[in-house]
């Protein structure tokens, strides 16, 4: 994650700023950065320009169906460093290197690294979808990763790497190596999905509690009446 992304994330405005830049609302994005971080106008503009440049790089990738892997490595001068990281089995660090050097999103960077691992000569980037109606949040508390997604008018929900919306969330969150590490650990069974508690006999409001009390009261009275009758 770049320094400006860390800064924006710490103020909970990374995704909103990215959304504004995607919609070409640069003035609004600059104002949001300036108001929330206290940075100067120039510093805020530089951050927004950096985000716009990263999107431009990714859009350029998406304009073509395939690239030569050697072309990407040579153009960004990362071939030697990338090979060293992969030889050391440091895939997460390799993906981060690709993201920082090329501006690719996390999914494309991961696919590119795997193309190198598989000794493929071409790389086909995936088209980015329009996520204007999706918001994603990630928290990291004492090493515990939680990812929540809100799609359209649906309520916000926590998701895990086995969720169909996981790939969308990864694209929205961008270059977060800790997210990829969490995904790998999850798939290896280190982070099981929390089981939902049964709400069969749990009422969420006082009205439901009174209904349950009334049913139990009637049942007890019927039992008392039955035994009184047979005796």
């Amino acid at each position: 994650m770049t320094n400006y992304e860390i800064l924006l994330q710490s103020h909970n405005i990374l995704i909103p700023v990215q959304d504004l830049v995607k919609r070409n609302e640069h003035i609004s994005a600059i104002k949001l950065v300036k108001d929330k971080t206290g940075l100067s106008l120039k510093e805020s503009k530089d951050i927004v320009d950096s985000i716009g440049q990263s999107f431009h790089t990714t859009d350029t990738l998406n304009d073509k169906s395939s690239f030569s892997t050697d072309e990407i490595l040579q153009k960004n001068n990362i071939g030697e460093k990338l090979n060293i990281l992969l030889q050391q089995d440091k895939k997460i660090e390799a993906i981060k290197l690709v993201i920082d050097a090329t501006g690719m999103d996390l999914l494309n960077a991961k696919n590119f690294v795997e193309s190198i691992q598989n000794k493929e000569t071409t790389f086909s980037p995936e088209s980015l979808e329009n996520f204007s109606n999706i918001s994603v949040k990630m928290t990291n508390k004492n090493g515990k990763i939680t990812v929540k997604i809100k799609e359209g008018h649906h309520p916000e929900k926590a998701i895990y790497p086995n969720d169909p919306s996981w790939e969308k969330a990864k694209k929205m969150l961008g270059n977060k190596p800790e997210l990829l590490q969490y995904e790998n650990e999850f798939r290896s069974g280190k982070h099981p999905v929390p089981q939902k508690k049964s709400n069969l006999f749990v009422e969420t409001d006082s009205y439901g509690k009174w209904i349950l009390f009334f049913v139990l009261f009637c049942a007890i009275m019927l039992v008392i009446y039955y035994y009184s009758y047979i005796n």
Side-chain angles (χ1 to χ4, degrees), residues 107-160:
L107 178 61
N108 277 319
K110 175 177 176 289
N111 291 343
F112 177 75
V113 169
E114 290 175 350
S115 296
I116 300 299
Q117 288 179 309
N118 296 330
K119 301 186 184 306
E120 298 173 3
T121 58
T122 59
F123 165 65
S124 300
E126 296 197 19
S127 297
L128 294 179
E129 301 175 36
N130 182 2
F131 295 115
S132 59
N133 64 335
I134 301 175
S135 62
V136 180
K137 298 177 183 177
M138 188 191 85
T139 57
N140 186 348
K141 294 183 179 180
N142 300 322
K144 181 180 179 182
I145 301 292
T146 301
V147 178
K148 294 184 178 182
I149 188 171
K150 186 178 187 304
E151 302 182 73
H153 298 293
H154 297 287
E156 185 179 68
K157 66 174 183 176
I159 60 172
Y160 305 91

Side-chain angles (χ1 to χ4, degrees), residues 185-203:
E185 292 176 349
F186 179 93
R187 298 194 187 283
S188 66
K190 186 176 180 180
H191 301 288
V193 179
Q195 297 296 319
K196 293 183 178 180
K197 295 181 179 179
S198 172
N199 59 357
L200 183 61
F201 296 106
V202 177
E203 300 295 336

Side-chain angles (χ1 to χ4, degrees), residues 35 39-40 48 53 58 64 70 97 103 106 115 119 124-125 134 142 152 165 174 186 189-190 200 208 210 216-217 223:
D35 291 345
L39 295 175
S40 67
V48 171
Q53 182 60 39
T58 306
K64 292 178 66 176
D70 287 339
L97 173 65
L106 181 59
S115 296
K119 301 186 184 306
S124 300
I134 301 175
N142 300 322
S165 299
F186 179 93
K190 186 176 180 180
L200 183 61
W210 279 111
L216 290 175
F217 175 78
V223 171

